[in-house]
Amino acid sequence: MTYCLGIKVKEGLVALADTRITAGTNTTVKKKMYVTQKDNYSLFIMTSGLRSVRDKAVHYFEELISEGVVYNKLYKAVNAFGEQIKRVAEEDRASLERAGLKFNLNTIVGGQLKDDMDHKLFLLYSEGNWVELDEGSPYVIIGNSGQGKAILNRVLNGESTMKQALKAGFLSFDSTRVSNNDVDFPIDVVLYKKDSFKIVEHRYEKKDLEQISDIWADKLKQALDDIPEEWMDQSFEKIV
């Protein structure tokens, strides 16, 4: 399992991916973020699913770019990556299913290319089809999404700043991490400011954010204590 989050606000894009890979009892750290950028061309790809499928699809996509294929709009690059996923499916699906494995690769693609009027964020499915995220749905999670949505639903909207988005994104990851042993540090963060054509990457280790996690836990406990209790009296009076 994994945790990858993409957020789109008016100011730009924020993306976060954990790096834990679990295979049986073995745990390793591997990057789940792929970034490519040059003049007027910036995009990132995050994936959740079988690592072998991910690596093969990314290699095929990288090969297209190295051979000189240029995309002027992000949706065209998303279509191209979707075609590589379908190519891998044709090559590997049958053998994977014979081994008892389900062909699975969900992908978040974000960025801005030369002729895009705005920064874009897409969710790409294993079948190669996609949806674009807009202001009505400013974020998408792939992988282990159950525990991380609540805070994002409460605090995020299109007017949020990139700093607010990253704070909320980390707290969403942290809620997932404490509830699942297959999601953990280090986490890779990507920031993209609208029209900049420059993606910034940064990796956070656990020691870098332990204090923030502790602050959040303390504030949650304090908020619980601060909620009025009179509304519970009718229920607890029945105990006596």
Side-chain angles (χ1 to χ4, degrees):
M1 190 56 76
T2 190
Y3 178 90
C4 295
L5 166 68
I7 302 172
K8 178 184 177 181
V9 294
K10 284 187 176 180
E11 187 182 358
L13 301 171
V14 174
L16 183 155
D18 85 314
T19 57
R20 172 163 286 196
I21 300 291
T22 303
T25 58
N26 296 323
T27 300
T28 58
V29 171
K30 290 187 178 180
K31 191 173 183 178
K32 299 172 184 175
M33 190 91 68
Y34 166 77
V35 174
T36 180
Q37 57 183 339
K38 49 189 175 183
D39 292 342
N40 297 323
Y41 188 105
S42 297
L43 72 84
F44 62 83
I45 294 173
M46 298 185 291
T47 58
S48 170
L50 289 174
R51 183 75 188 191
S52 62
V53 173
R54 179 262 183 204
D55 286 353
K56 203 170 184 181
V58 169
H59 279 306
Y60 286 165
F61 184 70
E62 284 182 314
E63 188 174 48
L64 290 175
I65 295 174
S66 66
E67 290 175 350
V69 178
V70 177
Y71 306 103
N72 65 325
K73 291 190 175 183
L74 191 62
Y75 84 87
K76 295 181 180 180
V78 174
N79 280 340
F81 191 71
E83 288 300 317
Q84 306 319 306
I85 293 174
K86 288 188 280 188
R87 177 182 171 186
V88 177
E90 291 179 2
E91 295 173 350
D92 295 351
R93 186 192 298 274
S95 59
L96 287 170
E97 290 179 352
R98 284 196 299 270
L101 298 172
K102 182 180 178 181
F103 184 90
N104 181 30
L105 190 74
N106 290 315
T107 308
I108 296 172
V109 184
Q112 187 175 8
L113 305 188
K114 180 181 177 181
D115 292 332
D116 286 319
M117 297 299 293
D118 197 4
H119 50 298
K120 305 285 186 177
L121 190 66
F122 293 87
L123 170 61
L124 177 63
Y125 299 101
S126 295
E127 295 75 16
N129 58 318
W130 50 260
V131 294
E132 182 178 357
L133 280 292
D134 56 28
E135 292 182 9
S137 52
Y139 78 88
V140 60
I141 302 173
I142 55 174
N144 205 327
S145 61
Q147 292 79 20
K149 290 183 176 180
I151 183 172
L152 299 174
N153 289 338
R154 287 182 179 273
V155 304
L156 270 188
N157 58 64
E159 302 296 328
S160 300
T161 66
M162 289 177 66
K163 285 188 175 181
Q164 288 172 328
L166 181 53
K167 279 195 288 186
F170 167 68
L171 297 179
S172 172
F173 158 78
D174 201 50
S175 297
T176 305
R177 177 186 66 85
V178 299
S179 303
N180 299 274
N181 59 11
D182 54 7
V183 173
D184 208 346
F185 288 97
I187 55 174
D188 290 325
V189 169
V190 155
L191 304 174
Y192 176 77
K193 189 171 183 179
K194 178 182 177 180
D195 297 331
S196 68
F197 295 101
K198 181 181 179 181
I199 291 175
V200 174
E201 295 182 81
H202 188 80
R203 173 165 288 189
Y204 288 96
E205 303 287 346
K206 184 176 181 179
K207 60 182 176 58
D208 300 323
L209 296 175
E210 275 185 316
Q211 183 182 12
I212 305 302
S213 182
D214 290 343
I215 290 172
W216 175 237
D218 290 341
K219 286 188 177 293
L220 281 177
K221 293 172 186 175
Q222 185 60 52
L224 181 65
D225 291 340
D226 290 343
I227 292 176
E229 298 183 350
E230 292 79 6
W231 59 276
M232 297 186 290
D233 290 345
Q234 290 180 327
S235 296
F236 278 90
E237 285 171 359
K238 296 179 181 180
I239 297 177
V240 179

PDB file of all heavy atoms in Angstrom, residues 38-43 61 65 68-80 111-118 120 122 197:
ATOM      1  N   LYS A  38      11.657  21.076 -18.145  1.00  0.00           N
ATOM      2  CA  LYS A  38      12.568  21.857 -18.967  1.00  0.00           C
ATOM      3  C   LYS A  38      11.853  23.161 -19.290  1.00  0.00           C
ATOM      4  O   LYS A  38      10.859  23.495 -18.623  1.00  0.00           O
ATOM      5  CB  LYS A  38      12.949  21.077 -20.239  1.00  0.00           C
ATOM      6  CG  LYS A  38      11.778  20.482 -21.001  1.00  0.00           C
ATOM      7  CD  LYS A  38      12.239  19.553 -22.096  1.00  0.00           C
ATOM      8  CE  LYS A  38      11.057  18.877 -22.778  1.00  0.00           C
ATOM      9  NZ  LYS A  38      11.491  17.915 -23.805  1.00  0.00           N
ATOM     10  N   ASP A  39      12.307  23.915 -20.263  1.00  0.00           N
ATOM     11  CA  ASP A  39      11.680  25.189 -20.580  1.00  0.00           C
ATOM     12  C   ASP A  39      10.203  24.992 -20.923  1.00  0.00           C
ATOM     13  O   ASP A  39       9.853  24.220 -21.816  1.00  0.00           O
ATOM     14  CB  ASP A  39      12.389  25.855 -21.774  1.00  0.00           C
ATOM     15  CG  ASP A  39      13.799  26.302 -21.428  1.00  0.00           C
ATOM     16  OD1 ASP A  39      14.098  26.415 -20.225  1.00  0.00           O
ATOM     17  OD2 ASP A  39      14.603  26.521 -22.353  1.00  0.00           O
ATOM     18  N   ASN A  40       9.354  25.741 -20.199  1.00  0.00           N
ATOM     19  CA  ASN A  40       7.907  25.708 -20.447  1.00  0.00           C
ATOM     20  C   ASN A  40       7.336  24.288 -20.391  1.00  0.00           C
ATOM     21  O   ASN A  40       6.416  23.941 -21.146  1.00  0.00           O
ATOM     22  CB  ASN A  40       7.567  26.344 -21.803  1.00  0.00           C
ATOM     23  CG  ASN A  40       7.944  27.807 -21.851  1.00  0.00           C
ATOM     24  OD1 ASN A  40       7.804  28.531 -20.858  1.00  0.00           O
ATOM     25  ND2 ASN A  40       8.417  28.261 -22.996  1.00  0.00           N
ATOM     26  N   TYR A  41       7.876  23.486 -19.473  1.00  0.00           N
ATOM     27  CA  TYR A  41       7.477  22.077 -19.417  1.00  0.00           C
ATOM     28  C   TYR A  41       7.780  21.545 -18.020  1.00  0.00           C
ATOM     29  O   TYR A  41       8.943  21.350 -17.670  1.00  0.00           O
ATOM     30  CB  TYR A  41       8.269  21.299 -20.466  1.00  0.00           C
ATOM     31  CG  TYR A  41       7.869  19.866 -20.678  1.00  0.00           C
ATOM     32  CD1 TYR A  41       7.144  19.486 -21.805  1.00  0.00           C
ATOM     33  CD2 TYR A  41       8.245  18.870 -19.773  1.00  0.00           C
ATOM     34  CE1 TYR A  41       6.802  18.158 -22.030  1.00  0.00           C
ATOM     35  CE2 TYR A  41       7.901  17.547 -19.982  1.00  0.00           C
ATOM     36  CZ  TYR A  41       7.187  17.193 -21.108  1.00  0.00           C
ATOM     37  OH  TYR A  41       6.845  15.884 -21.324  1.00  0.00           O
ATOM     38  N   SER A  42       6.744  21.325 -17.222  1.00  0.00           N
ATOM     39  CA  SER A  42       6.934  20.812 -15.870  1.00  0.00           C
ATOM     40  C   SER A  42       5.812  19.838 -15.538  1.00  0.00           C
ATOM     41  O   SER A  42       4.628  20.200 -15.594  1.00  0.00           O
ATOM     42  CB  SER A  42       6.919  21.956 -14.845  1.00  0.00           C
ATOM     43  OG  SER A  42       7.983  22.856 -15.058  1.00  0.00           O
ATOM     44  N   LEU A  43       6.174  18.605 -15.198  1.00  0.00           N
ATOM     45  CA  LEU A  43       5.149  17.655 -14.770  1.00  0.00           C
ATOM     46  C   LEU A  43       5.727  16.664 -13.772  1.00  0.00           C
ATOM     47  O   LEU A  43       6.924  16.401 -13.745  1.00  0.00           O
ATOM     48  CB  LEU A  43       4.518  16.927 -15.960  1.00  0.00           C
ATOM     49  CG  LEU A  43       5.300  15.864 -16.740  1.00  0.00           C
ATOM     50  CD1 LEU A  43       5.210  14.490 -16.076  1.00  0.00           C
ATOM     51  CD2 LEU A  43       4.766  15.759 -18.159  1.00  0.00           C
ATOM     52  N   PHE A  61       7.513   5.702 -20.812  1.00  0.00           N
ATOM     53  CA  PHE A  61       7.194   7.122 -20.969  1.00  0.00           C
ATOM     54  C   PHE A  61       8.470   7.951 -21.101  1.00  0.00           C
ATOM     55  O   PHE A  61       8.559   8.860 -21.940  1.00  0.00           O
ATOM     56  CB  PHE A  61       6.368   7.598 -19.767  1.00  0.00           C
ATOM     57  CG  PHE A  61       5.904   9.023 -19.864  1.00  0.00           C
ATOM     58  CD1 PHE A  61       4.927   9.390 -20.772  1.00  0.00           C
ATOM     59  CD2 PHE A  61       6.449  10.001 -19.033  1.00  0.00           C
ATOM     60  CE1 PHE A  61       4.490  10.710 -20.857  1.00  0.00           C
ATOM     61  CE2 PHE A  61       6.023  11.313 -19.110  1.00  0.00           C
ATOM     62  CZ  PHE A  61       5.043  11.670 -20.031  1.00  0.00           C
ATOM     63  N   ILE A  65       9.993  10.562 -24.231  1.00  0.00           N
ATOM     64  CA  ILE A  65      10.535  11.908 -24.054  1.00  0.00           C
ATOM     65  C   ILE A  65      11.972  11.988 -24.564  1.00  0.00           C
ATOM     66  O   ILE A  65      12.360  12.943 -25.247  1.00  0.00           O
ATOM     67  CB  ILE A  65      10.463  12.320 -22.568  1.00  0.00           C
ATOM     68  CG1 ILE A  65       8.991  12.425 -22.137  1.00  0.00           C
ATOM     69  CG2 ILE A  65      11.179  13.649 -22.331  1.00  0.00           C
ATOM     70  CD1 ILE A  65       8.801  12.676 -20.665  1.00  0.00           C
ATOM     71  N   GLY A  68      12.452  12.494 -28.166  1.00  0.00           N
ATOM     72  CA  GLY A  68      12.088  13.785 -28.729  1.00  0.00           C
ATOM     73  C   GLY A  68      10.617  14.098 -28.806  1.00  0.00           C
ATOM     74  O   GLY A  68      10.225  15.145 -29.347  1.00  0.00           O
ATOM     75  N   VAL A  69       9.758  13.215 -28.273  1.00  0.00           N
ATOM     76  CA  VAL A  69       8.327  13.508 -28.275  1.00  0.00           C
ATOM     77  C   VAL A  69       8.064  14.673 -27.325  1.00  0.00           C
ATOM     78  O   VAL A  69       8.528  14.680 -26.180  1.00  0.00           O
ATOM     79  CB  VAL A  69       7.497  12.285 -27.841  1.00  0.00           C
ATOM     80  CG1 VAL A  69       6.010  12.637 -27.805  1.00  0.00           C
ATOM     81  CG2 VAL A  69       7.751  11.122 -28.783  1.00  0.00           C
ATOM     82  N   VAL A  70       7.343  15.678 -27.803  1.00  0.00           N
ATOM     83  CA  VAL A  70       7.058  16.872 -27.006  1.00  0.00           C
ATOM     84  C   VAL A  70       5.553  17.032 -26.874  1.00  0.00           C
ATOM     85  O   VAL A  70       4.813  16.922 -27.862  1.00  0.00           O
ATOM     86  CB  VAL A  70       7.660  18.138 -27.658  1.00  0.00           C
ATOM     87  CG1 VAL A  70       7.295  19.374 -26.848  1.00  0.00           C
ATOM     88  CG2 VAL A  70       9.174  18.012 -27.770  1.00  0.00           C
ATOM     89  N   TYR A  71       5.101  17.280 -25.650  1.00  0.00           N
ATOM     90  CA  TYR A  71       3.681  17.519 -25.394  1.00  0.00           C
ATOM     91  C   TYR A  71       3.497  18.995 -25.037  1.00  0.00           C
ATOM     92  O   TYR A  71       4.226  19.525 -24.199  1.00  0.00           O
ATOM     93  CB  TYR A  71       3.185  16.634 -24.255  1.00  0.00           C
ATOM     94  CG  TYR A  71       3.491  15.172 -24.487  1.00  0.00           C
ATOM     95  CD1 TYR A  71       4.546  14.547 -23.803  1.00  0.00           C
ATOM     96  CD2 TYR A  71       2.767  14.428 -25.398  1.00  0.00           C
ATOM     97  CE1 TYR A  71       4.844  13.218 -24.030  1.00  0.00           C
ATOM     98  CE2 TYR A  71       3.060  13.090 -25.637  1.00  0.00           C
ATOM     99  CZ  TYR A  71       4.106  12.499 -24.948  1.00  0.00           C
ATOM    100  OH  TYR A  71       4.415  11.178 -25.180  1.00  0.00           O
ATOM    101  N   ASN A  72       2.510  19.634 -25.651  1.00  0.00           N
ATOM    102  CA  ASN A  72       2.302  21.054 -25.380  1.00  0.00           C
ATOM    103  C   ASN A  72       1.210  21.298 -24.354  1.00  0.00           C
ATOM    104  O   ASN A  72       1.082  22.399 -23.829  1.00  0.00           O
ATOM    105  CB  ASN A  72       1.969  21.811 -26.674  1.00  0.00           C
ATOM    106  CG  ASN A  72       0.645  21.361 -27.282  1.00  0.00           C
ATOM    107  OD1 ASN A  72       0.289  20.181 -27.213  1.00  0.00           O
ATOM    108  ND2 ASN A  72      -0.083  22.291 -27.868  1.00  0.00           N
ATOM    109  N   LYS A  73       0.416  20.270 -24.065  1.00  0.00           N
ATOM    110  CA  LYS A  73      -0.610  20.372 -23.035  1.00  0.00           C
ATOM    111  C   LYS A  73      -0.555  19.129 -22.154  1.00  0.00           C
ATOM    112  O   LYS A  73      -0.276  18.029 -22.634  1.00  0.00           O
ATOM    113  CB  LYS A  73      -2.004  20.521 -23.656  1.00  0.00           C
ATOM    114  CG  LYS A  73      -2.213  21.865 -24.345  1.00  0.00           C
ATOM    115  CD  LYS A  73      -3.666  22.075 -24.730  1.00  0.00           C
ATOM    116  CE  LYS A  73      -3.877  23.473 -25.296  1.00  0.00           C
ATOM    117  NZ  LYS A  73      -5.302  23.737 -25.621  1.00  0.00           N
ATOM    118  N   LEU A  74      -0.850  19.338 -20.874  1.00  0.00           N
ATOM    119  CA  LEU A  74      -0.658  18.246 -19.920  1.00  0.00           C
ATOM    120  C   LEU A  74      -1.574  17.055 -20.216  1.00  0.00           C
ATOM    121  O   LEU A  74      -1.168  15.907 -20.038  1.00  0.00           O
ATOM    122  CB  LEU A  74      -0.868  18.737 -18.486  1.00  0.00           C
ATOM    123  CG  LEU A  74      -0.447  17.748 -17.388  1.00  0.00           C
ATOM    124  CD1 LEU A  74       1.042  17.449 -17.478  1.00  0.00           C
ATOM    125  CD2 LEU A  74      -0.795  18.274 -16.002  1.00  0.00           C
ATOM    126  N   TYR A  75      -2.787  17.308 -20.663  1.00  0.00           N
ATOM    127  CA  TYR A  75      -3.682  16.179 -20.906  1.00  0.00           C
ATOM    128  C   TYR A  75      -3.119  15.242 -21.978  1.00  0.00           C
ATOM    129  O   TYR A  75      -3.378  14.031 -21.954  1.00  0.00           O
ATOM    130  CB  TYR A  75      -5.091  16.662 -21.275  1.00  0.00           C
ATOM    131  CG  TYR A  75      -5.292  17.012 -22.729  1.00  0.00           C
ATOM    132  CD1 TYR A  75      -5.650  16.033 -23.665  1.00  0.00           C
ATOM    133  CD2 TYR A  75      -5.119  18.313 -23.192  1.00  0.00           C
ATOM    134  CE1 TYR A  75      -5.833  16.346 -25.003  1.00  0.00           C
ATOM    135  CE2 TYR A  75      -5.298  18.638 -24.521  1.00  0.00           C
ATOM    136  CZ  TYR A  75      -5.663  17.651 -25.411  1.00  0.00           C
ATOM    137  OH  TYR A  75      -5.843  17.955 -26.740  1.00  0.00           O
ATOM    138  N   LYS A  76      -2.332  15.783 -22.902  1.00  0.00           N
ATOM    139  CA  LYS A  76      -1.715  14.945 -23.934  1.00  0.00           C
ATOM    140  C   LYS A  76      -0.641  14.046 -23.319  1.00  0.00           C
ATOM    141  O   LYS A  76      -0.494  12.877 -23.707  1.00  0.00           O
ATOM    142  CB  LYS A  76      -1.129  15.810 -25.040  1.00  0.00           C
ATOM    143  CG  LYS A  76      -2.172  16.605 -25.829  1.00  0.00           C
ATOM    144  CD  LYS A  76      -1.527  17.434 -26.924  1.00  0.00           C
ATOM    145  CE  LYS A  76      -2.577  18.223 -27.700  1.00  0.00           C
ATOM    146  NZ  LYS A  76      -1.984  19.052 -28.777  1.00  0.00           N
ATOM    147  N   ALA A  77       0.111  14.576 -22.365  1.00  0.00           N
ATOM    148  CA  ALA A  77       1.092  13.751 -21.660  1.00  0.00           C
ATOM    149  C   ALA A  77       0.391  12.684 -20.826  1.00  0.00           C
ATOM    150  O   ALA A  77       0.869  11.544 -20.733  1.00  0.00           O
ATOM    151  CB  ALA A  77       1.971  14.632 -20.773  1.00  0.00           C
ATOM    152  N   VAL A  78      -0.743  13.036 -20.218  1.00  0.00           N
ATOM    153  CA  VAL A  78      -1.521  12.063 -19.445  1.00  0.00           C
ATOM    154  C   VAL A  78      -2.022  10.954 -20.359  1.00  0.00           C
ATOM    155  O   VAL A  78      -1.956   9.761 -20.013  1.00  0.00           O
ATOM    156  CB  VAL A  78      -2.696  12.764 -18.728  1.00  0.00           C
ATOM    157  CG1 VAL A  78      -3.586  11.738 -18.036  1.00  0.00           C
ATOM    158  CG2 VAL A  78      -2.174  13.774 -17.711  1.00  0.00           C
ATOM    159  N   ASN A  79      -2.526  11.332 -21.539  1.00  0.00           N
ATOM    160  CA  ASN A  79      -2.945  10.318 -22.514  1.00  0.00           C
ATOM    161  C   ASN A  79      -1.788   9.389 -22.878  1.00  0.00           C
ATOM    162  O   ASN A  79      -1.957   8.160 -22.977  1.00  0.00           O
ATOM    163  CB  ASN A  79      -3.461  10.993 -23.790  1.00  0.00           C
ATOM    164  CG  ASN A  79      -4.891  11.482 -23.655  1.00  0.00           C
ATOM    165  OD1 ASN A  79      -5.635  11.030 -22.791  1.00  0.00           O
ATOM    166  ND2 ASN A  79      -5.276  12.415 -24.513  1.00  0.00           N
ATOM    167  N   ALA A  80      -0.604   9.968 -23.065  1.00  0.00           N
ATOM    168  CA  ALA A  80       0.563   9.179 -23.448  1.00  0.00           C
ATOM    169  C   ALA A  80       0.963   8.210 -22.339  1.00  0.00           C
ATOM    170  O   ALA A  80       1.294   7.040 -22.609  1.00  0.00           O
ATOM    171  CB  ALA A  80       1.729  10.096 -23.791  1.00  0.00           C
ATOM    172  N   GLY A 111       1.025  19.332 -13.139  1.00  0.00           N
ATOM    173  CA  GLY A 111       2.024  20.216 -13.718  1.00  0.00           C
ATOM    174  C   GLY A 111       1.408  21.237 -14.649  1.00  0.00           C
ATOM    175  O   GLY A 111       0.216  21.541 -14.588  1.00  0.00           O
ATOM    176  N   GLN A 112       2.234  21.747 -15.550  1.00  0.00           N
ATOM    177  CA  GLN A 112       1.802  22.736 -16.534  1.00  0.00           C
ATOM    178  C   GLN A 112       2.764  22.688 -17.713  1.00  0.00           C
ATOM    179  O   GLN A 112       3.983  22.721 -17.521  1.00  0.00           O
ATOM    180  CB  GLN A 112       1.777  24.146 -15.919  1.00  0.00           C
ATOM    181  CG  GLN A 112       1.191  25.208 -16.824  1.00  0.00           C
ATOM    182  CD  GLN A 112       1.074  26.573 -16.124  1.00  0.00           C
ATOM    183  OE1 GLN A 112       1.574  26.766 -15.011  1.00  0.00           O
ATOM    184  NE2 GLN A 112       0.413  27.510 -16.773  1.00  0.00           N
ATOM    185  N   LEU A 113       2.226  22.579 -18.908  1.00  0.00           N
ATOM    186  CA  LEU A 113       3.033  22.566 -20.113  1.00  0.00           C
ATOM    187  C   LEU A 113       2.801  23.843 -20.922  1.00  0.00           C
ATOM    188  O   LEU A 113       1.948  24.666 -20.582  1.00  0.00           O
ATOM    189  CB  LEU A 113       2.739  21.323 -20.947  1.00  0.00           C
ATOM    190  CG  LEU A 113       2.895  19.978 -20.223  1.00  0.00           C
ATOM    191  CD1 LEU A 113       2.768  18.818 -21.202  1.00  0.00           C
ATOM    192  CD2 LEU A 113       4.206  19.882 -19.457  1.00  0.00           C
ATOM    193  N   LYS A 114       3.548  23.999 -21.976  1.00  0.00           N
ATOM    194  CA  LYS A 114       3.654  25.258 -22.715  1.00  0.00           C
ATOM    195  C   LYS A 114       2.320  25.927 -23.018  1.00  0.00           C
ATOM    196  O   LYS A 114       2.149  27.130 -22.787  1.00  0.00           O
ATOM    197  CB  LYS A 114       4.409  25.013 -24.021  1.00  0.00           C
ATOM    198  CG  LYS A 114       4.579  26.250 -24.891  1.00  0.00           C
ATOM    199  CD  LYS A 114       5.308  25.908 -26.183  1.00  0.00           C
ATOM    200  CE  LYS A 114       5.416  27.137 -27.085  1.00  0.00           C
ATOM    201  NZ  LYS A 114       6.102  26.810 -28.369  1.00  0.00           N
ATOM    202  N   ASP A 115       1.359  25.184 -23.534  1.00  0.00           N
ATOM    203  CA  ASP A 115       0.099  25.779 -23.978  1.00  0.00           C
ATOM    204  C   ASP A 115      -1.037  25.615 -22.980  1.00  0.00           C
ATOM    205  O   ASP A 115      -2.203  25.883 -23.308  1.00  0.00           O
ATOM    206  CB  ASP A 115      -0.310  25.182 -25.326  1.00  0.00           C
ATOM    207  CG  ASP A 115       0.639  25.604 -26.444  1.00  0.00           C
ATOM    208  OD1 ASP A 115       1.231  26.694 -26.332  1.00  0.00           O
ATOM    209  OD2 ASP A 115       0.801  24.835 -27.417  1.00  0.00           O
ATOM    210  N   ASP A 116      -0.726  25.186 -21.757  1.00  0.00           N
ATOM    211  CA  ASP A 116      -1.737  25.136 -20.693  1.00  0.00           C
ATOM    212  C   ASP A 116      -1.937  26.533 -20.127  1.00  0.00           C
ATOM    213  O   ASP A 116      -0.972  27.188 -19.714  1.00  0.00           O
ATOM    214  CB  ASP A 116      -1.300  24.195 -19.564  1.00  0.00           C
ATOM    215  CG  ASP A 116      -1.403  22.735 -19.946  1.00  0.00           C
ATOM    216  OD1 ASP A 116      -2.401  22.361 -20.591  1.00  0.00           O
ATOM    217  OD2 ASP A 116      -0.486  21.965 -19.592  1.00  0.00           O
ATOM    218  N   MET A 117      -3.173  26.985 -20.072  1.00  0.00           N
ATOM    219  CA  MET A 117      -3.461  28.297 -19.498  1.00  0.00           C
ATOM    220  C   MET A 117      -3.369  28.282 -17.983  1.00  0.00           C
ATOM    221  O   MET A 117      -3.285  29.329 -17.340  1.00  0.00           O
ATOM    222  CB  MET A 117      -4.865  28.755 -19.923  1.00  0.00           C
ATOM    223  CG  MET A 117      -5.028  28.944 -21.433  1.00  0.00           C
ATOM    224  SD  MET A 117      -3.909  30.220 -22.084  1.00  0.00           S
ATOM    225  CE  MET A 117      -4.603  31.671 -21.297  1.00  0.00           C
ATOM    226  N   ASP A 118      -3.375  27.094 -17.419  1.00  0.00           N
ATOM    227  CA  ASP A 118      -3.409  26.960 -15.968  1.00  0.00           C
ATOM    228  C   ASP A 118      -2.645  25.698 -15.586  1.00  0.00           C
ATOM    229  O   ASP A 118      -2.349  24.847 -16.429  1.00  0.00           O
ATOM    230  CB  ASP A 118      -4.869  26.859 -15.509  1.00  0.00           C
ATOM    231  CG  ASP A 118      -5.044  27.131 -14.019  1.00  0.00           C
ATOM    232  OD1 ASP A 118      -4.037  27.481 -13.361  1.00  0.00           O
ATOM    233  OD2 ASP A 118      -6.169  26.985 -13.523  1.00  0.00           O
ATOM    234  N   LYS A 120      -2.470  22.033 -13.885  1.00  0.00           N
ATOM    235  CA  LYS A 120      -3.459  20.967 -13.993  1.00  0.00           C
ATOM    236  C   LYS A 120      -3.122  19.815 -13.044  1.00  0.00           C
ATOM    237  O   LYS A 120      -1.957  19.582 -12.717  1.00  0.00           O
ATOM    238  CB  LYS A 120      -3.507  20.417 -15.425  1.00  0.00           C
ATOM    239  CG  LYS A 120      -3.764  21.454 -16.512  1.00  0.00           C
ATOM    240  CD  LYS A 120      -5.206  21.888 -16.549  1.00  0.00           C
ATOM    241  CE  LYS A 120      -5.471  22.816 -17.727  1.00  0.00           C
ATOM    242  NZ  LYS A 120      -6.904  23.205 -17.814  1.00  0.00           N
ATOM    243  N   PHE A 122      -4.454  15.620 -12.604  1.00  0.00           N
ATOM    244  CA  PHE A 122      -5.255  14.536 -13.164  1.00  0.00           C
ATOM    245  C   PHE A 122      -5.134  13.281 -12.319  1.00  0.00           C
ATOM    246  O   PHE A 122      -4.070  12.997 -11.751  1.00  0.00           O
ATOM    247  CB  PHE A 122      -4.793  14.195 -14.583  1.00  0.00           C
ATOM    248  CG  PHE A 122      -5.031  15.276 -15.599  1.00  0.00           C
ATOM    249  CD1 PHE A 122      -4.091  16.288 -15.782  1.00  0.00           C
ATOM    250  CD2 PHE A 122      -6.176  15.280 -16.381  1.00  0.00           C
ATOM    251  CE1 PHE A 122      -4.289  17.286 -16.729  1.00  0.00           C
ATOM    252  CE2 PHE A 122      -6.384  16.275 -17.327  1.00  0.00           C
ATOM    253  CZ  PHE A 122      -5.454  17.277 -17.505  1.00  0.00           C
ATOM    254  N   PHE A 197       6.804  27.165 -14.260  1.00  0.00           N
ATOM    255  CA  PHE A 197       7.492  26.097 -14.991  1.00  0.00           C
ATOM    256  C   PHE A 197       8.745  25.639 -14.242  1.00  0.00           C
ATOM    257  O   PHE A 197       9.792  25.385 -14.823  1.00  0.00           O
ATOM    258  CB  PHE A 197       7.824  26.529 -16.418  1.00  0.00           C
ATOM    259  CG  PHE A 197       6.587  26.775 -17.246  1.00  0.00           C
ATOM    260  CD1 PHE A 197       6.140  28.058 -17.480  1.00  0.00           C
ATOM    261  CD2 PHE A 197       5.847  25.707 -17.749  1.00  0.00           C
ATOM    262  CE1 PHE A 197       4.981  28.291 -18.221  1.00  0.00           C
ATOM    263  CE2 PHE A 197       4.691  25.926 -18.489  1.00  0.00           C
ATOM    264  CZ  PHE A 197       4.256  27.225 -18.728  1.00  0.00           C
TER     265      PHE A 197
END
